[in-house]
Structures are given as structure tokens and as C-alpha cells.
Amino acid sequence: MKKLPTWIDILLIPLINLAIALFLSALVVLYIGEDPMDALSIMIKGAIGSSYGWGYTLYYATNFIFTGLAVSVAFHAKMFNIGGEGQAALGGLGVALVCLMFPWPHWILALPVAIIGGAVFGAAWAAIPAYLQAKRGSHIVITTIMFNFMASALLVYLLVNVLKAPGSMAPETGRFIEGARLPTGHDMLGWFGIKFSKSPPVNISFLISLLFCFFIWFLIWRTKLGYEIRAFGHSESAAKYAGISPIKIIMVSMLISGALAGLMGINSVMGESERLVIDSVQGAGFIGIAVALMGRSHPFGVLLAAILFGILYQGGAELALWTNIPRELIVVIQALVILLTGALDNMIRMPIERLYFKMVRAGT
Amino acid sequence: MTKDKQERPETAAPAIQLKNISKSFGPVQANKNISLTVNSGTIHGIVGENGAGKSTLMSILYGFYKADSGDIYIRNAKTSIPDSQAAISAGIGMVFQHFKLVENFTVLENVILGAEDGALLKDSLSKARRQLQELSTEYELDVDPDAIIENLSVGLQQRVEILKALYRRANILILDEPTGVLTPAEADHLFRILKNLRDQGKTVILITHKLREIMDATDTVSVMRSGEMTATIKTNQTSPEKLAELMVGRKVLLNVSKSVAKAGDIALEVKDLKVTDEKGVLRVKGITFNVREGEILGIAGVAGNGQSELLEALGGFRKSQGLVSVYGHSLDLESPSGQEIRDQSIAHVPEDRQRLGLIMDFTAWENIGFGYQHEPEYSNSWGLMNNRKMRKDASNKMEKFDVRPSNIKLKVRNFSGGNQQKLVLAREIERNPDILLIGQPTRGVDIGAIEFIHNEIIKMRDEGKAIILVSVELDEILSLTDRVSVMFDGNLVGDRITRETNARELGLLMGGETD
Amino acid sequence: MIDFDTLLQVLDSSVRLSIPLLLACLAGLFSERAGIFDIGLEGKMLASAFAAGAAAFVTGSALIGMLAGIFASIILSAVHGVASITFKGNQLISGVAINFLASGLTALIGQNWFRQGGQTPPLSGSARFNEITLPLAELLRDVPIFGKIYYELISGHTLLVYIAFLIVPLTWWILFRTRFGLRLRAVGENPAAVDTSGISVVRQRYAAILICGILCGLAGAYLSTGIGAGFGKEMTAGKGFIALAALIFAKWKPVPALWACLLFGFLEAIGIRFQNIEIPGVGTIPLQLMQALPYILTVIILAGFVGKAIPPKAGGEPYNKE
């Protein structure tokens, strides 16, 4: 049985997928009547050409790291958690409740509790679909989609009827108090005397997300639970042979997945808007799917893919500002990445495999 | 049973002639230069052990596989059968071991599927209803045309498969192990149907391993052994003994030197164990046996007679009813767990190492701890894995069992079948369990490794371990075990002391010739 | 309390709102009955709504708009087919990708063509499907009860509404009375049975996906040229997923699909008509609960607490001949 070397599998193929996605997107740009190379350079300059750009890029990347990790953990157990959007929305609610409920004297105290709040609410929103999958075999993809819509309805209801700040017209909570606001990139680098743009929303959550990349890597590859999750994901029957309970693995992996999606709230709700607004997730839950697919469900891959998508998002915003190319270009790129890496993998992989083995044979 | 076989005249044109058919899957040659003539208007049996190449040959005939070389003649005309459609139009019908029915369709819908006349169903359905009526009176093939398949018994479902073939005007009907899922009464009925079909001029090919069925139902029998056709004989000129001999052959007995067993206390006791499979079929029908320390009990039998289910039930993989006790401790059979089995110091080498025994996409070292990940040496009470220890163990065990390549970081998928098996054995045997359950220990393993594996098993026995060995290889049973029980149709049909029996006797028992 | 006229109005708007759900639901029914899961209904509908709106605006013909919509939807269906049938990829991931692709491309091209923030210009006259007054409706409108029902509820819808209702029995007839339907259902339940009967599984599945594309195309065209007057960004707003929910709710059967879609349309109509509903003794039911109700009901059905919803057996799995 022959196999491709690892570097082709985890590096070359994703890059080829990305290249094809970008090439197809370039055709769209060309069709719109803009120069793709110009567009690319505006995007890159806008995203990583200044501390302002970096500040936004990393802010977006932080969201995508959390949701990408969420999808990855579920993928390891062979679950497709498409409900990151709803779990992140609930996570945002949990974070907001923590921030609003107590008169926090300092963010150092507020942040750990907010992390717990976001994680618990996110996990809770994943719990019912997980339970129904584990116990009753209800397809997790469909139930998590349904829970996304329920989450959105629930949050609208709460923001309109319950949590709306008194006297405000907009359906959003009041601004969090000083002690529940997170230090931004500007603040943090300021402690070391480094100048950084004041306006972008990147904040300490980025460092937390890096920490979670490490935690998840550790969980998946260094703990017994991770070992069992991976074993279950590769072969349910073998896992059963080894005495691993399918119900436990489905529940635990989905709860972790939901918690990770919920953690996004500390970045978007506590870090950026500093209040709970309607649709605080902005599609990041779905981008997590693209990020996880591209990062091959490995936390390091997720980190790189999240930064890449951060660049695309910030670059896309710049592009919309300076050219006639709407922001939605990034949605197209994202769709193509998901399609190519997730569903059309065989289309790319099979020719590469053939080519590689031909070269190997010619070489020997 | 009708005894009119002798009087039947030879029919002129042979229904099927296969000439020099060969087929390989990678390095494995499943069919070697096979030639076979099946006369029309006869029931032609094909017997052989597992892996003898019977199913491959029939799949070639039905257009599922393409032969590497050789020709097929149907009624003296050279015919190419590239797909099932071609087989159907050549008048061949096949009843697979696993039925190909749409379970929530009615009988009628299944019968016409793919053989409809016209775009609307109405006419096809009423035509099929009429024909089914005729067929049922002609061949005793009664079945309610409006019944939903999933509500029918297995025997009736099989009848639908036969009706499907007849509706497509099949003249040649192939049945692959048709009685495996039937009750004795259902099986008798099936053979009456087959004889009716023959008497109406149809040709039937019956693939089976049950010698009684061959003797009772067929006119001619062909024996296959390791991919070759070894004999074709008139059934009334042979005997079960002769067939068993032809089937088993005189293989070179592997030499395992072993002393007489010194059996000690009872280690594992099984009482009235019943196992039902996912489809609700009773596969193990209430069997009782025990194994003592220091002995190897062999479970012999042709595959599909319930041994796999027995082993999986004992291994905690399947639910079962009855009693299994380990040194007096009863196992939970209602909600079994591989965990509990290992806690009782039972090791389980499953028959299907790729589906159960290994995680194919894990590395070799990760697989060395598989099933034992909760043991203190591999993970601490905080749930952290001791990967270093696992890697070290992997190196040692792989060296000891001579697993090649000796690269512990290689994914298991990239090892050969024999080396995968050695990995599983290294993992399970080196745990030093009290009881070893082991299924098909040398399936797909090369000769050199077989001897090594056999010696390891003997060594464990001599250390006083109790061993249950399930194998379809008679040689293995004969050279390795101390006692042997033959499993047939979910029951243990014969218990023998291994050194007091021989291949012929066991072969008869495996064919259902009980004493 | 609600008077008769209000009730009629709510029912009338339920019918209108249920049509896109119904067409998309039947689209999904063809696909999933053939064993191809389709969570890309939303995207196909959106693409079609855009193509129909744009083409209707340019040509001034609702019919040409509809054909353009169907064409766009079929293209996305083909992508799904290539990914999930030919290359045996993950059907769910392919569906997710198609939703994003439609969402991105419609906004992008819409902005490029019309420069109205992704919308098409408003449509009027022959560029829309206009309401059809059925014979005698005017005459009978003053007849109490029945005349009113006929005039308000049954008459006065666009052509697509009547077509959609006709497609329900047609779907039932195709599925259960024709050779094509028999094979389609078989391929979704046990492709091996179809294969051993000598029929191509691949061809059958592509045919199902083609029909799915056509019906999603109709659903989209109805949104922008029937009930609406032009395309608006993200105008499907989750209708594809409600259709999917209705499909599960109806247990993949055409006539129950009609009732499920009417029910979900009714819930939507109530939500629009009454912001909060007072139920004596219970209190106020918030609008958002009404909106979430289709999803909640579907989860309950999926959980099997009220009659189990069992999807076609071979659904979601690419067919590998062994």
C-alpha cells in the first residue's frame, strides 16, 4: 500500500487548493473589470502592511482560531459540527452576562470568569445535538443547523425584550464597565513601549487563542481523552473493541467543540464591541469549517489558516474601500476553499498521486 | 428426498463452460486456470473451504469482476460478461449471500426493479403479479406480492431473490451459501424449490460448504481448493468422506513441537451462550464449554457458522445472553465492554484486525497501547498519556515479534497484513493475560511468521494460560490445539481430543455430518 | 379576537410564504430520496433568485427570468453532483460550500451589474409573475364565506403558486407510479440492488440532482419575480434550511411535505401579522419563538420522540461497488 509523503499531504495539497481558489477568484475579479494583481496587492498591503492592518487581521484571526479549533475537535471524532455559529452566539451571551452581572474591578478578574461563561454557554448549546446524536442517532449536521437558527431567534428575543439597555433604541446591551474591558493590542504593546495603532480591535484574546491552540494540541495528542477521540474518529468499531464508549466520546468531543466556539465571545463581545449586539458572530462559525478543513484539523494548521482568513477578511474590507470589488469576494474565496479542500479533495488528490508515483517510478 | 437423480439423462448442450479462467487481486491469485462445465438441467454444487475462490468465480460469471484471462461459454456460445446487465441478458440469475433487496419496497417492486416494461409501473406491476402467481404455483415459491421486504423472514426474502431472477427469465441460477441464514425447515423447502426448477429444465449452481446439502441436493459436484478446481464428480459416485478429503487436501503439516497439555483449573466457563446479530438472526444458539489453564481449545468450523460472533461476544464487543464466567466472576453480557474484558486479564486478538484490532491511520507505537490506554503505565490519573513509554514498549515488542519494518512511527496501514497481525499479537500476548482469545491467528500471514506465531501461542499455554483459538484452518487446529470443538450452524457439534482425531473426521463435522 | 377577514388574510399570506419552501422542499426530496443529502438548497435558491431577477430586469420577461434562475440553480446542482457523485466527496461539506458560493457570487455580480448594493432594480409589469384572478372570482367575491374564501384565498396568486401546488401530486406520481421514481427511490435505499439489476447508479443520481436544480430554480424565481419585485441581498434568509426542516418533518414524503410547508408558512405569516401573540392564561408568545418553531419541531421529530424520521438508508454515502 503506497501513500503520499506527509509534506505533499499537509502542505502541497492545501496550497494547491488555495491557489486554485485564488485563481478562480481572480477570474471573478477580472470579470468585474479590476486587475487581480492590483487587488491582491491592495489586500495584502491592507491586511499586513501596517500595524493598523495587522490589528484587524489578527482580530479576525482570533475569532477564526476559536471556531476553527471547534470544528477540528469535532472532526477528530468524525463529527461535523456545523453549529459553531449558534454556539458562538450563545458563548457571546455567556460572556456578556458575566461582564454585566458583576461590578468587575479589573479585567484580570473578569476575563477568567468570562472565559468560563463563554465556554459553558457554548458547550450547553452543543449539548442537546450531541446527546441526540449519541443516544438517538439524530444526524448532528441537521440538528446543529437547526440550533443555529434557534440561537439567532433566542438572542434577538433576549436583546429586544430582556437585555436591551434602558433608554436605548438599538437592540443591544449597555456598554460593559471599565473593569470588564480587555486591553487592546495598543495597550499591551504600550506596556513594553512599542507603538501600535490605537483603533484596531485586536486584544488579549489573541494570546488566549494561541494558548488554546496549544491546549487543544496537547489534548488531542498528549492525553488519553485525545487518544480515544482520535481512535473513535478513525474507526468506531475498533474503538468499541478497545472498550471506548461511543456515547462518551461523542458527548465530550461535542462539548469541547461547543465550548471553543463559545470562547469566541471573549474576543468579539468583550474585546471588540464591549457590549452584546445582534449577530456578534458574523459568520465566523462557518469560516471555522474552512479553517479546519484547510488546517487539516491540526491546531498549528488551524492557526495558519485562521491568519490567512484574517488576511482575507481585512484585505477584503480594504478592497471594498478602495476598489469596486465588494467584500463578498472573500465569501467566494471561502466557498471555493471549502469546496476544494472538503468536497473535491479527490479531484486534486488523485492526479497528484498519479503524478507522484509516476515520478517515483521514473526515479528508481 | 427424491432419488431420481440416477435416472436423469445427460442433457446435450452444457449450460455453462468456463475455460482457463484466472483472476488475481494484487499478489493473491484467487482463481487459477479454472475450467468447469455445468450441464443444463442439473444442480451443480461447488464446495471448498473459505478462500478457495468459489465466490470470486461466481462474481466473474455475474459480471462483478472481470477475469484476467479465460473464456466463458453460455450454451456453447462464447459470451463476454462485462457487467450484471450482460449476465442477466445471458440468462444468469444470482442469489447473493447478502441479499440485494430494497428493504422498504414491496415484493413486487423489488421483482420489477430494473426489469420494468415501459415508463409507468402499472402494467409492469400487474404483469409481475400474474407471473408471480404462476411461478408460485409452479415452484412452491409462495410469497405475498404486496408484503414489505423488511417485514418478511430471511427465508422469504431469499425466495424474493429467486423470484427476481426467474422474473428476468434466468435459465441459470447461482446461489451463494443460500442456507447460511435459514432454519432447517426453510432449507429443506429451498431444496425442494431448486429441484423443481431443475425438473423444469433450469440449471442451478449451488455454492456451499455443507456436505449434506451437496449429497442431498446436487447432481454433480465440483471441489475447489486454494484457487484451483480439483475435481468434478457425479454426486452419486462420491461420499462426504471423499469430498472432505478433496476439500481439505493434504497440505504440508506445519511442525510445531509441543508436549502434552497439563490442564489445570477451569479459567473460563461458558454456559448456554446465545448471540444475536444486528439483523436479529440468532448466530450462536446456546453453547456450553469451558477452557482450563494450560490448554488450547480450538473452535473449528467453516466461516459463517457463528464462531466470529462467539469470539466477539467473549471479547466484549457484542451483546449476548447466557453466562460467561472468568475464574468464577460473571461478565456483564447485557452491556459488554472491552474494558471489562481486559480488566479480567483477558486478551482478545480479533479475527478482523483491520476493522477491530488496529487503528489503521495510527502509527505502530500508538497501536501498541490500543485498548490499554487507561493502564497506569500509559496514562496517569490526570489523563496524560505517557507516549515515551508507549514508544519504548513499541520498539521492544516489535523487535521481539520481528515486525518489519521496525519503524514505530509508520502508520499501520503501511505494514503488510502479516506484520499487522504480529503487531496485534505483540500487543496482546506481551500483556501476559490469563486468558487469550484469538481468532484466525495466521490469516494472511507468510509461512515464516506462522511458525513464530504458533510457537508463541504454545509458549503461553505452557506458562499455564487458557487459550481459545478460533480458526477456519484445519491444519492450524490440528497442530496447535489440545481439544477441539467444531461449530456448525451456531452449535458446537462435536468435541474431540485433538491428538485423537484427524482432518477427515473434523472435515465431516464441519460439513454438518454430526455423530 | 381574530375576525374572519383577518384569518383569510393570514391564510392567504401563509400560502404565498409557503410556496418557496414547498418548491425547495420538493427539490430536496428528489435529491435525498436518491441518496444525495443536500444542505445547499439555500444557495441554489439564492442563485436562482438573483439570476431570475437580473434576467427579468434585462429582458422584461418573467418567464425568461425563470429560465435563467433554473439555469443558475442547475449549475450549482452540477457542482454538487461532481463533488458528491463523481468524486465521492463529502455531500454535507459540498452543500455548505455551495451556500457560500451563491451568497458571495450573487452579491458580487449584483453589485457589479446594477450598483445598488447587491440588489437588482425593482421589477414591474411583465418582468414579474402577476397575480391571476381565477374565473368567476370577481363575481363570487360577495358571496359570504365560500365566495370570500375563493376570492381571497384560492384566486389571486401568481402562476408559480398554482404550478407549485400541481408539482406535489406530480412528484407523488413520479415517485410511486413510474419506473423512474422506482429506480430513484431504490438508489437512495440500496444502490447495490440497483447496480445488480444492471442499472447505472451514477446516472440515476445525476438525474435526481438535475430535478432538484430545476425545482430550486423555480423556488428562487418565485422569490424575486413572484412574491417579491426584484432580488435583494441574502433574500432567501434561511428559507432553504426551513425547507430542509420541512422535508425531515414530512419524513421525505411529498404530500406531508405540502402540509409541513403550509404549516411553516403559516407560522411565518402569523409572525409577520402579529408581533406578539397573546394567549389567554399562557401569556405572550414572542415573535422569535414563532420564528424558531419550525426548527424546534424538526429537532423533536429528528429525536424520534414523535414518530421517528428515518432518512433514505443510503443517504450521504457515495456508492462504492465492491
Side-chain angles (χ1 to χ4, degrees), chain B residues 447-458:
Chain B
I447 302 282
I450 290 178
E451 206 170 333
F452 172 80
I453 290 170
H454 283 177
N455 283 327
E456 285 297 319
I457 296 173
I458 299 285

Side-chain angles (χ1 to χ4, degrees), chain C residues 20 23-28 38 40-49 69-70 73-74 77 209-223 240 243:
Chain C
L23 288 165
C25 182
L26 294 172
D38 194 352
L41 297 173
E42 173 89 359
K44 286 199 275 273
M45 234 196 315
L46 189 67
S48 159
I70 290 175
S73 172
I74 287 178
S77 265
I209 273 202
L210 176 73
I211 298 177
C212 171
I214 293 171
L215 291 177
C216 270
L218 286 178
Y222 176 77
L223 282 179

Side-chain angles (χ1 to χ4, degrees), chain C residues 19-317:
Chain C
I19 293 306
L21 303 181
L22 180 59
L23 288 165
C25 182
L26 294 172
L29 192 144
F30 274 100
S31 180
E32 302 209 344
R33 276 282 190 159
I36 305 289
F37 279 165
D38 194 352
I39 57 176
L41 297 173
E42 173 89 359
K44 286 199 275 273
M45 234 196 315
L46 189 67
S48 159
F50 172 74
F57 173 73
V58 174
T59 63
S61 157
L63 205 66
I64 293 179
M66 185 183 86
L67 293 177
I70 290 175
F71 179 73
S73 172
I74 287 178
I75 296 284
L76 289 184
S77 265
V79 171
H80 191 48
V82 169
S84 54
I85 304 171
T86 306
F87 287 105
K88 300 180 177 175
N90 186 317
Q91 299 172 8
L92 300 166
I93 292 178
S94 165
V96 170
I98 281 167
N99 287 337
F100 285 124
L101 200 58
S103 158
L105 279 178
T106 52
L108 212 59
I109 299 175
Q111 171 64 10
N112 184 243
W113 284 357
F114 304 109
R115 311 225 170 263
Q116 298 188 0
Q119 298 187 345
T120 62
L123 303 174
S124 58
S126 63
R128 285 186 69 196
F129 283 97
N130 290 305
E131 289 165 3
I132 299 168
T133 308
L134 293 182
L136 302 178
E138 290 291 347
L139 205 68
L140 294 172
R141 79 182 287 186
D142 294 325
V143 176
I145 311 280
F146 291 106
K148 226 167 189 171
I149 290 177
Y150 185 65
Y151 179 78
E152 287 275 347
L153 190 57
I154 298 173
S155 173
H157 293 289
T158 62
L159 180 65
L160 284 174
V161 174
Y162 298 109
I163 290 180
F165 280 114
L166 285 177
I167 291 178
V168 176
L170 184 66
T171 300
W172 176 87
W173 185 78
I174 289 175
L175 277 185
F176 299 104
R177 287 292 177 268
T178 69
R179 173 177 64 192
F180 177 80
L182 184 78
R183 293 178 175 185
L184 184 128
R185 285 182 290 134
V187 100
E189 287 291 331
N190 186 358
V194 176
D195 196 19
T196 50
S197 305
I199 310 164
S200 160
V201 173
V202 168
R203 270 223 314 263
Q204 199 65 41
R205 288 193 161 168
Y206 265 108
I209 273 202
L210 176 73
I211 298 177
C212 171
I214 293 171
L215 291 177
C216 270
L218 286 178
Y222 176 77
L223 282 179
S224 59
T225 63
I227 196 172
F231 173 81
K233 227 163 111 174
E234 298 293 332
M235 80 179 305
T236 43
K239 286 194 166 58
F241 292 105
I242 299 201
L244 199 63
L247 181 60
I248 296 163
F249 202 73
K251 299 177 183 173
W252 293 268
K253 291 184 188 123
V255 178
L258 171 65
W259 300 122
C261 291
L262 282 173
L263 171 68
F264 290 174
F266 177 66
L267 291 175
E268 198 183 341
I270 290 182
I272 292 171
R273 187 72 169 70
F274 314 97
Q275 285 301 308
N276 293 306
I277 300 151
E278 300 278 349
I279 292 186
V282 178
T284 314
I285 295 179
L287 165 72
Q288 289 79 20
L289 183 61
M290 300 295 292
Q291 288 169 341
L293 213 49
Y295 307 113
I296 296 172
L297 290 174
T298 303
V299 169
I300 292 172
I301 285 283
L302 265 176
F305 294 121
V306 200
K308 191 134 180 81
I310 300 162
K313 250 194 216 114
E317 293 294 326

Side-chain angles (χ1 to χ4, degrees), chain A residues 28 31-32 82 132 136 138 141-142 145-146 149-150 153 156-157 286 326 328-329 331-332 334-335 343-344 346-347, chain C residues 83 87 89 92-94 96-97 100-101 104-105 107-108 112-113 233 241 248 286 288 295 299 302-305 308:
Chain A
V28 176
Y31 172 75
I32 287 175
I82 203 168
L132 292 177
R136 308 195 65 96
S138 320
V141 169
I142 305 292
I145 289 176
M146 301 293 134
F149 287 102
M150 289 184 225
V156 172
Y157 170 76
F286 291 118
E328 280 79 7
L329 179 66
V331 181
V332 174
Q334 172 193 335
L344 284 172
N346 284 337
M347 187 176 83
Chain C
F87 287 105
L92 300 166
I93 292 178
S94 165
V96 170
F100 285 124
L101 200 58
L105 279 178
L108 212 59
N112 184 243
W113 284 357
K233 227 163 111 174
F241 292 105
I248 296 163
Q288 289 79 20
Y295 307 113
V299 169
L302 265 176
F305 294 121
K308 191 134 180 81

